[in-house]
Structure formats: C-alpha cells, structure tokens
Amino acid sequence: MISKGFIHKYGDNIDTDVIIPARYLNTSDHKELASHCMVDIDADFVNRVKGGDIMVGGFNFGCGSSREHAPIAIKASGISCVIAKSFARIFYRNAINVGLPILECAETDRIEAGDELEINFTNGEIHNITKGETYTTEPFPEFIQNIIAKGGLLNSIK
Amino acid sequence: MGMTMSQKILAAHAGLDSVKPGQLIMADLDLCLGNDITTPVAINEFTKAGFTEVFDKDKIALVMDHFTPNKDIKAAEQCKQCREFAAKHEITHYYDVGCMGVEHALLPEKGLVTAGELVIGADSHTCTYGALGAFSTGVGSTDLAAGMARGKAWFKVPEALKFVLTGKKSPYVSGKDVILHIIGKIGVDGALYKSMEFTGPGLADLTIDDRLCMANMAIEAGGKNGIFEVDEVTLAYLKEREIKAPTVYAADADAEYAEVYEIDLAEIRPTVAFPHLPENTKTIDEVGEVKIDQVVIGSCTNGRISDMAVAAEILKGKKVAKGVRAIIIPATQLIYKQCIELGYTSIFLDAGCAVSTPTCGPCLGGYMGILADGERCVATTNRNFIGRMGHTGSEVYLASPAVAAASAVTGKISAPEEVM
C-alpha cells in the first residue's frame, strides 16, 4: 500500500482534547467529528485538508484522553497517515483499532508543512518528494500486523 | 530476570509463568469499564462486528458520568443508547443518575476492583485502580467492545519506573502535590509506555485517597499504569468492601526498572501545574501573583471525601472572594451524602460556593463551569491543555483541594497557610 499527500504539521504533545474537543463528544458520527478536527489549534485545518493528506507531529502525539473519537476524526477528515516521533500509548492502539495508519519516525523535524510525501507501508519508507529525501520508520510488530491484516481488532477475535 | 508487580499481574492473566518487557500478550480481563462518552462508540463497533452476547454481565461496568445529568439532547441520546444496551444484556454494574458517581471514584468505593486484578476502561484515567494493587489501564472504545465481547485485551508488556517514597508529607501537602511534583520532574511523556510503580517506607504516610489521586495521574506522565505496592492500608480498605478476595503480587527483588527515583515526601511543597501542560509545575512559593476567576474542586482526581474535608476545613467561616466562582462537586452519590451529614455542604454554601450532584462536567469542558476567553481557573482536576475547560484563551491551573480552597478565598493562587 502506498499513500501520497501533503503535510499538515504540528508540534510535540498534541493532545486528544485539541484533536477533538470534549464539547463535540456528544456524538459518535464520524463526519460530524471530522468537521471539528483540530479546531482549537488550527481552525482552518478542516478547510485545507484534502483526501490522502498526511499529519505530522513531534513527541507524544495523541496524549491525554482515551477518546477513540480522536483517531476517528482524523481519519474521517481525509488524513491517510499520521507520522510522529512518538505516540501516546492509548492513541497508538486506538489508531490501529480504527484502521488509521500511524508511523513512528525520528526525522519529523525535516518534514515541513506543505511538503508532499509518498509513504510505502510495505517497507516503511517515507519519500519526501518536495525535498528529495527518504526517511525510515519503525515497522509494526508481527502481532499488530496480524490484527491489521484481519481487518481490525474485532474481526481478529471473532 | 525478576518481574515487576505489573508484569506479574499481566503474566498471571495471560496464563504464562513469566513475561518480559516488549512482549505482546493476550490476557483475560476481570473488569471492563465504559462511560457515556466512550461506550456508545463501543456499542456501535460491538454491533457492527456482529456480536450479540457479552462475555460476562458481572464483569462490565458502565457509568453515566461525563455529560450527566444530561447536558443536551445529543448527550441524552448517548446515555439512552448505553441504558438500552445495559438493559438488553442485563449488565449488573450499570450506574445512572441517582446512583452514579465519577467512575474512578465510584468503582473503588463500590468494591468493584481489588488487588491483583486486570482492568481496562475506555477512559484514560482507568489507571486510578493501581492504587489498590490492580493492573488497570485506559484503552479506547474498540478495545472496550472487544473486552465486552470476549473478556480479553492485548497488551505490550511494559517496563517500569520505580518510585521509592520516603519521609512524611508536610501539613496541607497531599497525593496531588506528590504526583504533580513527579510529573514536573519526569515530564508528560516521562513514563511513556511504562508502568509507574510506587513503593518504599513513605507509603505508610499516603492514604488510599492520596494513592488513588496519584495513580489517577500516571497517564499525565504518559504512563501505561500506576501501581502501588499492597500494604496494610490497602488491605484494610479492601476488607471494608469485601466483595472480592484480593491477590497480592509483590515485585521480585531482582526485577529490573528503566529508572529508579527516590522521592522524599518531606521535601514536597504544595505544587501547581501552570497552563497548558501538567508538567509545567511550580511550588506554591514560586507561583507569584496569579488572579483567578473560578475554582473547581472535584473530579476523579480529587472529588473524594478527604478532598471535601480539607476544602471544608479551609472554607469554614470564610467567604469566596468577590468575583470568583467556586464550584464543588463531590465525586459520588455517597460522598455527596457524606458532605451533607458531616456539615461540609453547609460550610460550602455559607462560603458562597455552588455544590453540584456528581458529574465530570467542567473537568473536560463539558458543562457546569465552562470558562470564557481570558479566564483563569484553579482546578483539582487532571489536565490543563489548551481549551480543556472552555475557551482556547482560558487557562487551567492544576492544584490540590487545599490550594484550590485557599485560592477561592483570596481570589489568587494561594497557599493554604495564607488563610488558616
């Protein structure tokens, strides 16, 4: 699988309260959640984002509340993958469980807003088309790959 | 290689003699928790995947606490969905308005968690029950759905940070100050993917309420769980409830830790986390002049009876400063009643506080105390992220009930000693 899109760049410790503020958690509708995605730190995100785009963060992406609404909102907004230096652990498992691809990459400082990336999920390589650079990522352990291959957690335990 | 407390509990629930850090396991759950925000998403996934039965109606707890009593029509619809699911599957531990409480205060109070158990909850503060010697951790709604369907969850076995506590706390220093001090020291990702294991002679100086508060905020350091060594204090608390028999796991003498920290409780001062991260801590001596508009005392972190007691001690015979709104929310129906019986509610009302039925409401900016642009709040809650309690231009300062009560009286962030 290959994903290609433009970058929306954020910093360290992006918490799930800013990804989807609690005042919008009175619904579980994916499109409605997506319409408020990132609103408290980047009100224009929902207008800029295009299908296939890629979100990039620093350390501890997705910290705070366990709300699965956060990866759901990001995915439903059209984002095809989130790349960060590290992920908070609940966000990490939620993203796997809802089928939002995430990649840990130490070199996110080299990626800038607006860069165009191409991600090869088979070998975990990220190609920065704008800058002509290639970055490597940590592949998922086999255990997790099996969950993904079976179509998510619930399908894997049926 | 020896195992930590957390590793031993995980191994026992995965049917393994031993586990090592990084190992991925499938384990049996003793309890799965959901609330009115996260359960609807879990029910949707449960239904969509074609499940029709829950694994055990006695091992699921559903607590309607975040937007209850319902704040709007959509919140009411979400609770209705949970209520109908609970009725259909005859969920034993379903708690709605009139018998509920903030989930992480309610479950220990009801005796639904004991030492040695493995608990997941679709709420990040599920790590609270580590105070009782359980391995408990926050997950998402799909994990809750899988737990409700099969009674299982997958875990990556964590390595641990060990906190050896010594000494005795000073007056008006509580578990909240200790955990804020620790988060200030290691940072909001200082325990990322790791267990935080608390041990040492200092435990004797920490009540169960102190420990519940500290384990509650393990997630604010990125921790997978926070867990306390089981001692007489734990066993006495569990015995009072006597619903389930505890299983005590102690860390092996040769267990390996990623890091060991020694914390002298005597050196800890009342501590405040400044906006917009729980790691931005200052001692009360360093805060300077910070005027405030609101105080909130409550939540799964600090809405217990001992929190109400210290707030009442400080507010007794005093008035909330002009221009400050003070909102006090006992965390459970029982604590609410105790506040009335012990005279705390009268003290709060006479001081000019609003006293509410249990709800998570203001902590996550749901309702019951939303902040306007530029407003500042001292809260005994657990997060001070941008926009957490309202407008993105508002500010949340995290503190203990003692500091929050004193600040309500002076109208600025204050040490309890300033008003006592």
Side-chain angles (χ1 to χ4, degrees), chain A residues 32-48:
Chain A
E32 196 177 337
L33 290 169
S35 73
H36 306 297
C37 190
M38 310 306 287
V39 63
D40 279 358
I41 52 165
D42 184 3
D44 190 45
F45 168 78
V46 290
N47 302 321
R48 280 198 328 270

PDB file of all heavy atoms in Angstrom, chain A residues 32-48:
ATOM      1  N   GLU A  32     -19.379  14.181  11.474  1.00  0.00           N
ATOM      2  CA  GLU A  32     -19.567  15.332  12.359  1.00  0.00           C
ATOM      3  C   GLU A  32     -18.319  15.562  13.215  1.00  0.00           C
ATOM      4  O   GLU A  32     -17.878  16.701  13.411  1.00  0.00           O
ATOM      5  CB  GLU A  32     -20.797  15.101  13.240  1.00  0.00           C
ATOM      6  CG  GLU A  32     -21.275  16.382  13.893  1.00  0.00           C
ATOM      7  CD  GLU A  32     -22.536  16.187  14.725  1.00  0.00           C
ATOM      8  OE1 GLU A  32     -23.280  15.218  14.486  1.00  0.00           O
ATOM      9  OE2 GLU A  32     -22.742  17.023  15.618  1.00  0.00           O
ATOM     10  N   LEU A  33     -17.729  14.461  13.712  1.00  0.00           N
ATOM     11  CA  LEU A  33     -16.490  14.587  14.485  1.00  0.00           C
ATOM     12  C   LEU A  33     -15.395  15.205  13.608  1.00  0.00           C
ATOM     13  O   LEU A  33     -14.671  16.105  14.039  1.00  0.00           O
ATOM     14  CB  LEU A  33     -16.042  13.213  15.001  1.00  0.00           C
ATOM     15  CG  LEU A  33     -16.919  12.593  16.109  1.00  0.00           C
ATOM     16  CD1 LEU A  33     -16.538  11.134  16.346  1.00  0.00           C
ATOM     17  CD2 LEU A  33     -16.811  13.386  17.408  1.00  0.00           C
ATOM     18  N   ALA A  34     -15.299  14.743  12.358  1.00  0.00           N
ATOM     19  CA  ALA A  34     -14.267  15.254  11.443  1.00  0.00           C
ATOM     20  C   ALA A  34     -14.422  16.755  11.197  1.00  0.00           C
ATOM     21  O   ALA A  34     -13.434  17.469  11.016  1.00  0.00           O
ATOM     22  CB  ALA A  34     -14.325  14.491  10.125  1.00  0.00           C
ATOM     23  N   SER A  35     -15.660  17.238  11.248  1.00  0.00           N
ATOM     24  CA  SER A  35     -15.897  18.657  10.959  1.00  0.00           C
ATOM     25  C   SER A  35     -15.341  19.569  12.055  1.00  0.00           C
ATOM     26  O   SER A  35     -15.260  20.785  11.876  1.00  0.00           O
ATOM     27  CB  SER A  35     -17.392  18.917  10.745  1.00  0.00           C
ATOM     28  OG  SER A  35     -18.072  18.843  11.977  1.00  0.00           O
ATOM     29  N   HIS A  36     -14.948  18.996  13.212  1.00  0.00           N
ATOM     30  CA  HIS A  36     -14.366  19.792  14.304  1.00  0.00           C
ATOM     31  C   HIS A  36     -12.901  19.430  14.556  1.00  0.00           C
ATOM     32  O   HIS A  36     -12.305  19.907  15.530  1.00  0.00           O
ATOM     33  CB  HIS A  36     -15.161  19.574  15.592  1.00  0.00           C
ATOM     34  CG  HIS A  36     -16.620  19.836  15.462  1.00  0.00           C
ATOM     35  ND1 HIS A  36     -17.119  21.087  15.157  1.00  0.00           N
ATOM     36  CD2 HIS A  36     -17.704  19.021  15.573  1.00  0.00           C
ATOM     37  CE1 HIS A  36     -18.440  21.022  15.097  1.00  0.00           C
ATOM     38  NE2 HIS A  36     -18.827  19.784  15.330  1.00  0.00           N
ATOM     39  N   CYS A  37     -12.325  18.610  13.700  1.00  0.00           N
ATOM     40  CA  CYS A  37     -10.969  18.102  13.932  1.00  0.00           C
ATOM     41  C   CYS A  37      -9.947  19.245  13.999  1.00  0.00           C
ATOM     42  O   CYS A  37      -9.927  20.114  13.123  1.00  0.00           O
ATOM     43  CB  CYS A  37     -10.603  17.123  12.810  1.00  0.00           C
ATOM     44  SG  CYS A  37      -9.093  16.213  13.089  1.00  0.00           S
ATOM     45  N   MET A  38      -9.130  19.259  15.017  1.00  0.00           N
ATOM     46  CA  MET A  38      -8.019  20.204  15.253  1.00  0.00           C
ATOM     47  C   MET A  38      -8.482  21.654  15.475  1.00  0.00           C
ATOM     48  O   MET A  38      -7.657  22.572  15.501  1.00  0.00           O
ATOM     49  CB  MET A  38      -7.000  20.199  14.093  1.00  0.00           C
ATOM     50  CG  MET A  38      -6.501  18.854  13.638  1.00  0.00           C
ATOM     51  SD  MET A  38      -5.815  17.808  14.936  1.00  0.00           S
ATOM     52  CE  MET A  38      -4.255  18.598  15.277  1.00  0.00           C
ATOM     53  N   VAL A  39      -9.770  21.877  15.648  1.00  0.00           N
ATOM     54  CA  VAL A  39     -10.314  23.242  15.625  1.00  0.00           C
ATOM     55  C   VAL A  39      -9.657  24.176  16.651  1.00  0.00           C
ATOM     56  O   VAL A  39      -9.462  25.362  16.362  1.00  0.00           O
ATOM     57  CB  VAL A  39     -11.865  23.221  15.794  1.00  0.00           C
ATOM     58  CG1 VAL A  39     -12.285  22.656  17.140  1.00  0.00           C
ATOM     59  CG2 VAL A  39     -12.452  24.606  15.603  1.00  0.00           C
ATOM     60  N   ASP A  40      -9.276  23.650  17.817  1.00  0.00           N
ATOM     61  CA  ASP A  40      -8.755  24.550  18.856  1.00  0.00           C
ATOM     62  C   ASP A  40      -7.309  25.000  18.638  1.00  0.00           C
ATOM     63  O   ASP A  40      -6.868  25.965  19.270  1.00  0.00           O
ATOM     64  CB  ASP A  40      -8.902  23.909  20.241  1.00  0.00           C
ATOM     65  CG  ASP A  40     -10.334  24.073  20.786  1.00  0.00           C
ATOM     66  OD1 ASP A  40     -11.156  24.702  20.094  1.00  0.00           O
ATOM     67  OD2 ASP A  40     -10.609  23.568  21.894  1.00  0.00           O
ATOM     68  N   ILE A  41      -6.559  24.296  17.773  1.00  0.00           N
ATOM     69  CA  ILE A  41      -5.204  24.804  17.497  1.00  0.00           C
ATOM     70  C   ILE A  41      -5.002  25.167  16.036  1.00  0.00           C
ATOM     71  O   ILE A  41      -4.009  25.791  15.680  1.00  0.00           O
ATOM     72  CB  ILE A  41      -4.077  23.816  17.914  1.00  0.00           C
ATOM     73  CG1 ILE A  41      -4.308  22.423  17.337  1.00  0.00           C
ATOM     74  CG2 ILE A  41      -3.896  23.775  19.407  1.00  0.00           C
ATOM     75  CD1 ILE A  41      -3.062  21.557  17.410  1.00  0.00           C
ATOM     76  N   ASP A  42      -5.942  24.770  15.179  1.00  0.00           N
ATOM     77  CA  ASP A  42      -5.775  25.018  13.745  1.00  0.00           C
ATOM     78  C   ASP A  42      -7.166  25.056  13.106  1.00  0.00           C
ATOM     79  O   ASP A  42      -7.588  24.106  12.449  1.00  0.00           O
ATOM     80  CB  ASP A  42      -4.908  23.888  13.143  1.00  0.00           C
ATOM     81  CG  ASP A  42      -4.602  24.119  11.663  1.00  0.00           C
ATOM     82  OD1 ASP A  42      -5.016  25.165  11.127  1.00  0.00           O
ATOM     83  OD2 ASP A  42      -3.943  23.244  11.064  1.00  0.00           O
ATOM     84  N   ALA A  43      -7.845  26.179  13.307  1.00  0.00           N
ATOM     85  CA  ALA A  43      -9.251  26.278  12.904  1.00  0.00           C
ATOM     86  C   ALA A  43      -9.445  26.078  11.404  1.00  0.00           C
ATOM     87  O   ALA A  43     -10.512  25.691  10.950  1.00  0.00           O
ATOM     88  CB  ALA A  43      -9.807  27.636  13.333  1.00  0.00           C
ATOM     89  N   ASP A  44      -8.381  26.353  10.625  1.00  0.00           N
ATOM     90  CA  ASP A  44      -8.502  26.262   9.167  1.00  0.00           C
ATOM     91  C   ASP A  44      -8.213  24.851   8.635  1.00  0.00           C
ATOM     92  O   ASP A  44      -8.399  24.584   7.456  1.00  0.00           O
ATOM     93  CB  ASP A  44      -7.534  27.278   8.532  1.00  0.00           C
ATOM     94  CG  ASP A  44      -7.762  27.419   7.031  1.00  0.00           C
ATOM     95  OD1 ASP A  44      -8.938  27.512   6.617  1.00  0.00           O
ATOM     96  OD2 ASP A  44      -6.776  27.383   6.277  1.00  0.00           O
ATOM     97  N   PHE A  45      -7.778  23.943   9.529  1.00  0.00           N
ATOM     98  CA  PHE A  45      -7.409  22.591   9.089  1.00  0.00           C
ATOM     99  C   PHE A  45      -8.518  21.927   8.275  1.00  0.00           C
ATOM    100  O   PHE A  45      -8.282  21.387   7.185  1.00  0.00           O
ATOM    101  CB  PHE A  45      -7.052  21.701  10.295  1.00  0.00           C
ATOM    102  CG  PHE A  45      -6.934  20.235   9.952  1.00  0.00           C
ATOM    103  CD1 PHE A  45      -5.798  19.735   9.322  1.00  0.00           C
ATOM    104  CD2 PHE A  45      -7.975  19.344  10.232  1.00  0.00           C
ATOM    105  CE1 PHE A  45      -5.698  18.394   8.985  1.00  0.00           C
ATOM    106  CE2 PHE A  45      -7.887  17.999   9.899  1.00  0.00           C
ATOM    107  CZ  PHE A  45      -6.744  17.523   9.277  1.00  0.00           C
ATOM    108  N   VAL A  46      -9.754  22.011   8.777  1.00  0.00           N
ATOM    109  CA  VAL A  46     -10.862  21.306   8.110  1.00  0.00           C
ATOM    110  C   VAL A  46     -11.129  21.867   6.707  1.00  0.00           C
ATOM    111  O   VAL A  46     -11.645  21.170   5.844  1.00  0.00           O
ATOM    112  CB  VAL A  46     -12.157  21.321   8.951  1.00  0.00           C
ATOM    113  CG1 VAL A  46     -12.001  20.440  10.184  1.00  0.00           C
ATOM    114  CG2 VAL A  46     -12.554  22.731   9.343  1.00  0.00           C
ATOM    115  N   ASN A  47     -10.749  23.121   6.493  1.00  0.00           N
ATOM    116  CA  ASN A  47     -10.918  23.703   5.151  1.00  0.00           C
ATOM    117  C   ASN A  47      -9.767  23.321   4.221  1.00  0.00           C
ATOM    118  O   ASN A  47      -9.951  23.142   3.018  1.00  0.00           O
ATOM    119  CB  ASN A  47     -10.987  25.236   5.241  1.00  0.00           C
ATOM    120  CG  ASN A  47     -12.123  25.695   6.139  1.00  0.00           C
ATOM    121  OD1 ASN A  47     -13.219  25.103   6.115  1.00  0.00           O
ATOM    122  ND2 ASN A  47     -11.874  26.707   6.956  1.00  0.00           N
ATOM    123  N   ARG A  48      -8.554  23.215   4.801  1.00  0.00           N
ATOM    124  CA  ARG A  48      -7.355  22.924   3.988  1.00  0.00           C
ATOM    125  C   ARG A  48      -7.213  21.458   3.614  1.00  0.00           C
ATOM    126  O   ARG A  48      -6.711  21.129   2.554  1.00  0.00           O
ATOM    127  CB  ARG A  48      -6.094  23.309   4.785  1.00  0.00           C
ATOM    128  CG  ARG A  48      -5.737  24.754   4.800  1.00  0.00           C
ATOM    129  CD  ARG A  48      -4.269  24.954   5.234  1.00  0.00           C
ATOM    130  NE  ARG A  48      -3.750  23.981   6.168  1.00  0.00           N
ATOM    131  CZ  ARG A  48      -3.802  24.093   7.489  1.00  0.00           C
ATOM    132  NH1 ARG A  48      -4.381  25.145   8.049  1.00  0.00           N
ATOM    133  NH2 ARG A  48      -3.271  23.167   8.265  1.00  0.00           N
TER     134      ARG A  48
END
